[in-house]
């Protein structure tokens, strides 16, 4: 692990987690003092947090939960079995007996510190320590020699302060856990004033919108299960906000499920298969429904049948419900997705399905979920349970990108009697925000009747290489040999082997599908060939400039340019490294400028620069994920505007903040969700190991319609396809 990056990560993360936990502890301490001391003692008390095992327990769990939240998890779970064998080791010259769950907590809390320490530190111990117990040896060394270690690391004062506070917390937790079993630990938690039990509080809470016990910052749930004469105890912890979001989300879903909707008369097209028919019936008969499936399985087409039925019911004068009539002239249908690009694609797909059925219906503009709910700078939605959305049917695509808080806001804004339909691919990447809502909902037994899964892909036929590759990646037990055989033999797939020094070399297992040894720059130069059609169009726009005075002409030009640009895209695992999007975009930018004979390195803005919006800009009507093109609009090279799809006017470059705009020749796989390209090149190497997962590679592969090329190391690809993402969430516990 890179020390500088590790130090920055622990410093930033510990700063906010430590500061907040200290503030909570200080307020608690001051309140206690105020009620139990005289004025003289109160004035004499220090505004400093007392470090005690009691406060250490809270700080430790708060810090670990904050870390988990940053990593996308909403809960921290520890468990103990009745016959668990304890582990023993020396800590501070005392023999300490720890169970596996206790070691788990200590490792989680101490690992960021250990990651910073020189691995060459000599550790002396009188005990024969196994590999499993190395954490205790390191802790013993840290407690005894921390001053020496900090000096060796040459830390700044702030970094040292953060690390010392973290290590103090580890030491307090170690003393607290020493020789205690889970029942004793549970008693400590139960008696602590900053922890609230779900079991004790929710059942007694009439309002059920928050917990009693003064809304404590940490919530826990204790579950005792007895299986085969063995006691199995589990404790799940949440930060209060994460618990509240999951609790409210489950509660609102149950409320929607209890709503009665009147089924529509739907003429089922003859070309639909049984899974699609089931999906239509599920969506038609329930106020809340989930339709999942891979690319090309017909999710949008299936939902289109419901929209057609609504439109036909209106034309014939039929009742849509007892009190509500659907009107295509009003905002009765809402289309939404987590990103602007996904929303746009959803609208295009649904409109195409309606056009194919000869249905004359112009859809409302699809919006991002943030825009639909009116979430602005404050982060709070305009529409909620007290001010619900007016639409009768709300369709949300790419639901795998929903985090728990955004999902909570969404379901809270659905009015009584309206339908909410979630579409998505549960095998894709989970949300950037905490939670894995779609995957969780698909696994909850109570929700199986309203979940329909589509499995037959019309985009990828039985002999499609991309479809076969996606299937192999998705398998529970990944067959790496089958994947290599596909990459070796299928014409739609290719693999370029990148070794540890970033050169392409021949791998005999892939025969002539791998290029001979080439320099990294030569291999990246191969990417430029795929962008030549786009560059040729950009060149033509230097002589035949965009007609700004003709809005329809502008729209048509940008649509055509987008179609060409979407023929190929580079998708990267991460930003950094020589196979990250930052490096590749810089390389392709220099190539672009050279080809067009434009000045090198003088300005970040230039004719033909493809850009992506990284942050919503409500004033300009731009949203995270939007793609645009910087174009010269006169003979003056400095007259540059950025044109976005479906907009008839350009935006002057000086109105765009460069900090939230990125060149878009290459983009991260996360940013590509909701998009499709003819040919996709996927790049990553061993330096991206921490980011790799089978969901990441599956998402990247399924962005392609015709061809996939992978630039990677053999080991990195094998690690990726064998590493499922595991999100620790508590949503299922709320049902």
């Amino acid at each position: 692990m890179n020390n500088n990056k590790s130090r920055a990560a622990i410093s930033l993360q510990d700063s906010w987690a430590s500061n907040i936990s200290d503030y909570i502890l200080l307020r608690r301490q001051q309140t206690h003092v105020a009620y139990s001391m005289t004025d003289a003692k109160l004035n004499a008390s220090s505004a400093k947090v007392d470090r005690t095992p009691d406060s250490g327990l809270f700080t430790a769990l708060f810090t670990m939960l904050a870390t988990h939240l940053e990593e996308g998890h909403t809960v921290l779970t520890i468990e103990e079995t009745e016959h668990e064998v304890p582990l023993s080791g020396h800590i501070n010259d005392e023999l300490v007996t720890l169970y596996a769950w206790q070691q788990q907590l200590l490792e989680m809390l101490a690992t960021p510190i250990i990651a910073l320490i020189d691995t060459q530190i000599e550790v002396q111990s009188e005990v024969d320590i196994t590999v499993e117990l190395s954490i205790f040896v390191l802790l013993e060394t840290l407690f005894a020699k921390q001053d020496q270690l900090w000096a060796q690391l040459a830390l700044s004062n702030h970094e040292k302060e953060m690390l010392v506070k973290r290590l103090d917390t580890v030491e307090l937790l170690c003393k607290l856990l020493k020789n205690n079993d889970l029942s004793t630990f549970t008693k400590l938690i139960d008696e602590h004033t900053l922890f609230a039990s779900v079991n004790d509080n929710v059942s007694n809470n009439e309002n059920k919108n928050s917990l009693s016990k003064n809304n404590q910052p940490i919530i826990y749930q204790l579950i005792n299960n007895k299986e085969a004469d063995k006691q199995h105890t589990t404790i799940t912890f949440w930060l209060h906000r994460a618990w509240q979001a999951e609790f409210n989300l489950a509660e609102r879903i149950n409320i929607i499920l209890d709503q009665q909707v009147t089924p529509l008369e739907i003429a089922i097209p003859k070309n639909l298969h049984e899974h699609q028919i089931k999906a239509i019936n599920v969506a038609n008969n329930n106020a809340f429904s989930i339709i999942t499936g891979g690319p090309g399985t017909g999710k949008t087409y299936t939902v289109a049948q419901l929209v057609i039925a609504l439109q036909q019911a209106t034309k014939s004068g039929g009742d849509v419900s007892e009190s509500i009539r659907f009107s295509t002239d009003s905002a009765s249908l809402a289309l939404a997705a987590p990103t602007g690009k996904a929303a746009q694609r959803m609208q295009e797909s649904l409109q195409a399905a309606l056009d194919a059925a000869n249905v004359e219906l112009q859809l409302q503009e699809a919006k991002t979920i943030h825009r639909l709910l009116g979430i602005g700078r404050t982060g709070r939605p305009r529409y909620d349970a007290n001010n619900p959305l007016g639409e009768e049917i709300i369709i949300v695509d790419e639901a795998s990108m929903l985090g728990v808080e955004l999902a909570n806001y969404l379901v809270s804004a659905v009015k009584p009697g309206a339908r909410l339909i979630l579409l998505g691919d549960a095998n894709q990447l989970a949300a950037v925000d905490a939670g894995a809502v779609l995957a969780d909902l698909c696994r909850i037994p109570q929700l199986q009747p309203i979940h329909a899964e589509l499995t037959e892909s019309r985009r990828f036929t039985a002999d499609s290489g991309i479809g076969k590759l996606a299937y192999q990646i998705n398998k529970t037990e990944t067959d790496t040999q089958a994947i290599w055989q596909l990459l070796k033999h299928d014409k739609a797939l290719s693999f370029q082997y990148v070794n540890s020094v970033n050169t392409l070399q021949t791998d005999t297992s892939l025969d002539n599908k791998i290029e001979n040894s080439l320099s990294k720059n030569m291999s990246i130069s191969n990417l430029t060939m795929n962008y030549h059609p786009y560059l040729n169009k950009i060149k033509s726009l230097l002589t035949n400039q965009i007609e700004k005075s003709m809005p329809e002409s502008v729209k048509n030009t940008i649509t055509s340019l987008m179609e060409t640009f979407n023929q190929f895209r580079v998708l990267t695992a991460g930003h950094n490294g020589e196979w990250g999007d930052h490096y590749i975009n810089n390389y392709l930018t220099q190539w672009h400028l050279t080809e067009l004979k434009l000045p090198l390195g003088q300005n970040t803005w230039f004719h033909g620069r493809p850009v992506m919006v990284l942050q919503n800009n409500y004033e300009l009507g731009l949203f995270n994920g939007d793609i645009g093109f910087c174009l010269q609009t006169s003979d003056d090279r400095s007259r540059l505007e950025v044109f976005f799809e479906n907009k008839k006017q350009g935006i002057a470059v000086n109105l765009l903040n460069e900090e939230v705009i990125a060149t878009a020749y290459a983009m991260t796989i996360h940013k590509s969700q909701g998009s499709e390209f003819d040919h996709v090149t996927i790049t990553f190497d061993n330096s991206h190991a921490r980011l790799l997962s089978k969901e990441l590679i599956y998402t990247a592969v399924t962005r392609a319609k015709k061809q996939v090329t992978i630039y990677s190391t053999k080991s990195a690809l094998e690690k990726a396809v064998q590493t499922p993402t595991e999100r620790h969430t508590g949503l299922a516990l709320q049902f």
Side-chain angles (χ1 to χ4, degrees):
M1 183 182 293
N2 182 287
N3 270 0
N4 290 331
K5 288 181 183 177
S6 301
R7 283 158 62 175
I10 191 172
S11 179
L12 288 171
Q13 181 182 290
D14 277 22
S15 287
W16 79 264
S18 177
N19 289 343
I20 292 175
S21 62
D22 278 356
Y23 172 78
I24 293 169
L25 288 168
L26 185 59
R27 288 297 300 269
R28 172 174 172 255
Q29 182 179 307
Q30 289 172 337
T31 301
H32 174 74
V33 169
Y35 278 94
S36 62
M37 290 188 173
T38 63
D39 288 344
K41 288 183 178 179
L42 180 59
N43 293 332
S45 66
S46 170
K48 198 173 182 181
V49 175
D50 292 333
R51 298 293 173 188
T52 64
D54 182 57
S55 67
L57 176 62
F58 170 73
T59 301
L61 282 166
F62 190 92
T63 301
M64 286 185 277
L65 283 166
T67 302
H68 259 40
L69 203 62
E70 293 284 329
E71 295 171 350
H73 312 294
T74 60
V75 299
L76 165 63
T77 301
I78 59 174
E79 54 188 347
E80 179 187 54
T81 58
E82 187 177 287
H83 302 295
E84 195 166 28
V85 178
L87 304 167
S88 299
H90 279 287
I91 297 220
N92 285 344
D93 298 323
E94 296 180 40
L95 185 66
V96 57
T97 301
L98 297 173
Y99 290 93
W101 64 269
Q102 295 168 317
Q103 178 177 291
Q104 172 196 346
L105 291 178
L106 288 172
E107 284 183 345
M108 198 180 304
L109 196 60
T111 295
I113 304 175
I114 295 169
L116 300 177
I117 296 173
D118 188 348
T119 55
Q120 300 305 313
I121 293 175
E122 294 185 4
V123 178
Q124 295 180 348
S125 174
E126 297 176 1
V127 182
D128 180 20
I129 300 296
T130 65
V131 174
E132 288 77 11
L133 297 179
S134 61
I135 179 70
F136 305 125
V137 178
L138 287 168
L139 287 176
E140 183 178 9
T141 302
L142 283 171
F143 297 152
K145 302 179 179 179
Q146 57 178 299
D147 290 339
Q148 176 187 340
L149 296 173
W150 303 152
Q152 289 178 17
L153 289 171
L155 300 167
S156 69
N157 289 336
H158 177 68
E159 288 171 336
K160 180 179 177 182
E161 180 186 357
M162 290 295 102
L163 289 168
V164 168
K165 285 176 71 174
R166 171 69 79 102
L167 191 59
D168 286 347
T169 303
V170 175
E171 192 165 13
L172 287 170
L173 183 64
C174 213
K175 291 176 180 177
L176 196 71
L177 295 179
K178 186 166 55 177
N179 299 320
N180 284 333
D181 58 17
L182 193 59
S183 62
T184 306
F185 179 74
T186 303
K187 186 177 179 182
L188 291 173
I189 294 291
D190 192 52
E191 293 173 350
H192 202 295
T193 57
L194 293 177
F195 292 77
S197 169
V198 170
N199 301 335
D200 294 338
N201 287 278
V202 172
S203 59
N204 296 325
N205 185 353
E206 293 181 4
N207 191 22
K208 282 200 172 185
N209 279 326
S210 60
L211 295 175
S212 57
K213 205 175 178 183
N214 298 322
N215 292 336
Q216 299 310 327
I218 297 180
I219 312 303
Y220 71 95
Q221 181 170 6
L222 179 67
I223 298 176
N224 290 310
N225 292 320
K226 197 166 186 179
E227 298 175 0
D229 296 326
K230 291 184 179 180
Q231 186 73 23
H232 185 82
T233 302
T234 302
I235 307 181
T236 301
F237 296 93
W238 291 261
L239 288 177
H240 188 280
R241 180 169 175 171
W243 180 88
Q244 193 75 67
E246 290 188 335
F247 178 83
N248 287 352
L249 175 58
E251 183 182 51
R252 292 299 307 178
I253 287 175
N254 282 323
I255 289 173
I256 296 172
L257 284 171
D258 288 339
Q259 298 290 321
Q260 296 298 313
V261 292
T262 303
L264 301 163
E265 292 290 335
I266 296 180
I268 304 292
K270 294 181 180 179
N271 61 340
L272 296 189
H273 53 70
E274 60 176 325
H275 292 147
Q276 284 181 302
I277 295 171
K278 177 190 174 183
I280 290 174
N281 289 330
V282 164
N284 192 22
N285 290 283
N286 296 280
F288 177 59
S289 55
I290 304 167
I291 301 175
T292 61
T297 51
K299 297 184 295 292
T300 308
Y301 183 80
T302 301
V303 170
Q305 309 313 311
L306 189 66
V307 176
I308 291 170
L310 286 167
Q311 192 260 0
Q312 290 173 340
T314 303
K315 289 181 70 174
S316 64
D319 288 336
V320 174
S321 71
E322 293 179 3
S323 59
I324 299 168
R325 189 180 298 277
F326 181 83
S327 171
T328 57
D329 297 325
S330 68
S332 293
L333 173 66
L335 306 177
T339 68
K341 188 65 180 177
Q344 180 187 323
R345 272 202 57 244
M346 175 199 193
Q347 181 171 353
E348 291 170 352
S349 299
L350 192 51
Q351 189 68 61
L354 296 176
D355 293 344
N358 295 316
V359 174
E360 295 181 4
L361 172 60
Q362 189 62 42
L363 294 169
Q364 293 285 329
E365 179 190 5
K367 301 175 182 178
T368 63
I369 297 173
H370 281 77
R371 188 177 169 198
L372 176 70
L373 299 177
I375 300 175
R377 290 190 182 90
T378 64
R380 304 296 300 180
R382 175 185 172 193
Y383 296 99
D384 54 25
N386 297 319
N387 180 34
L389 294 164
E391 288 83 359
E392 318 299 346
I393 180 168
I394 301 165
I395 305 172
V396 177
D397 201 4
E398 298 293 345
S400 64
M401 300 168 71
L402 278 173
V404 66
E405 290 210 10
L406 187 58
N408 176 37
Y409 289 150
L410 174 67
V411 299
S412 296
V414 177
K415 73 177 183 179
R419 282 181 175 86
L420 173 63
I421 305 171
L422 300 185
L423 309 178
D425 185 347
N427 295 313
Q428 281 191 194
L429 283 164
V432 174
D433 298 326
V437 173
L438 184 66
D440 282 346
L441 295 178
C442 291
R443 287 192 290 261
I444 293 171
Q446 298 94 310
L447 300 182
Q448 292 311 303
I450 56 92
H451 173 213
E453 183 178 10
L454 305 180
T455 56
E456 293 185 30
S457 176
R458 301 197 177 193
R459 184 193 304 173
F460 303 134
T461 57
D463 60 349
S464 161
I466 297 174
K468 289 178 181 177
L469 181 58
Y471 171 77
Q472 289 295 336
I473 293 170
N474 258 343
K475 288 174 67 174
T476 305
E477 295 295 328
T478 306
D479 184 348
T480 55
Q481 288 306 311
I483 289 175
W484 289 122
Q485 287 301 311
L486 275 172
L487 292 171
K488 175 182 175 182
H489 294 295
D490 197 282
K491 293 180 181 180
L493 309 172
S494 62
F495 183 85
Q496 309 294 346
Y497 186 90
V498 182
N499 72 11
S500 59
V501 292
N502 290 309
T503 59
L504 295 177
Q505 292 191 343
T506 300
D507 184 327
T508 55
S509 67
L510 298 176
D511 296 339
N512 60 355
K513 293 284 289 198
I514 300 173
E515 297 184 6
N516 292 327
S517 179
L518 296 170
S519 71
K520 173 177 59 62
N521 281 354
M522 287 178 66
S523 66
I524 290 182
S525 72
N526 292 341
L527 304 180
T528 64
M529 293 186 295
N530 296 289
Y531 279 122
H532 273 295
Y534 169 73
L535 201 68
N536 290 335
K537 281 207 167 187
I538 289 299
K539 283 182 180 178
S540 69
L541 287 175
L542 277 174
T543 53
N544 302 304
Q545 288 164 358
I546 198 163
E547 295 284 350
K548 288 176 57 180
S549 60
M550 301 173 64
E552 283 304 318
S553 175
V554 169
K555 184 178 178 181
N556 293 337
T557 299
I558 299 305
T559 298
S560 174
L561 195 56
M562 185 66 75
E563 288 174 357
T564 303
F565 187 60
N566 282 346
Q567 289 173 4
F568 177 74
R569 195 63 47 86
V570 180
L571 305 182
T572 69
H575 295 302
N576 301 316
E578 293 176 324
W579 293 99
D581 66 327
H582 288 171
Y583 184 93
I584 294 174
N585 275 322
N586 287 337
Y587 181 91
L588 293 174
T589 292
Q590 297 306 307
W591 164 76
H592 180 124
L593 294 172
T594 301
E595 289 290 312
L596 266 64
K597 297 181 173 55
L598 297 174
L600 296 175
Q602 291 185 3
N603 197 332
T604 54
W605 292 104
F606 52 87
H607 176 71
R609 179 191 179 192
V611 297
M612 171 182 279
V613 177
L614 304 178
Q615 185 175 304
N616 294 344
N617 185 322
Y618 297 97
E619 288 82 1
L620 295 175
L622 300 177
F623 300 93
N624 187 2
D626 284 355
I627 299 288
F629 306 104
C630 177
L631 300 176
Q632 186 176 316
T633 56
S634 74
D635 292 335
D636 182 355
R637 282 185 173 178
S638 64
R639 297 291 296 274
L640 298 168
E641 294 181 32
V642 181
F643 294 84
F644 292 89
E645 197 169 15
N646 293 326
K647 293 188 182 297
K648 299 177 181 179
Q649 292 183 327
I651 299 172
V653 294
N654 60 1
L655 295 178
L656 297 170
N657 180 0
E658 182 64 28
E659 296 297 316
V660 293
I661 295 287
T663 301
Y665 274 122
M667 66 173 70
T668 63
I669 297 166
H670 278 87
K671 286 291 185 185
S672 75
Q673 281 185 275
S675 299
E676 289 179 346
F677 315 101
D678 290 344
H679 179 188
V680 161
T681 285
I682 307 164
T683 67
F684 57 95
D685 61 16
N686 295 342
S687 69
H688 298 116
R690 184 177 58 85
L691 305 171
L692 300 178
S693 68
K694 66 161 56 195
E695 289 81 4
L696 187 82
I697 305 305
Y698 171 82
T699 300
V701 166
T702 55
R703 298 310 90 205
K705 293 188 285 186
K706 298 178 181 178
Q707 190 173 350
V708 171
T709 304
I710 300 175
Y711 283 68
S712 177
T713 64
K714 186 173 185 289
S715 60
L717 179 60
E718 289 186 347
K719 171 184 168 57
V721 299
Q722 295 179 86
T723 307
T725 298
E726 188 176 5
R727 282 276 175 101
H728 303 292
T729 63
L731 185 57
L733 296 173
Q734 309 290 1
F735 282 86

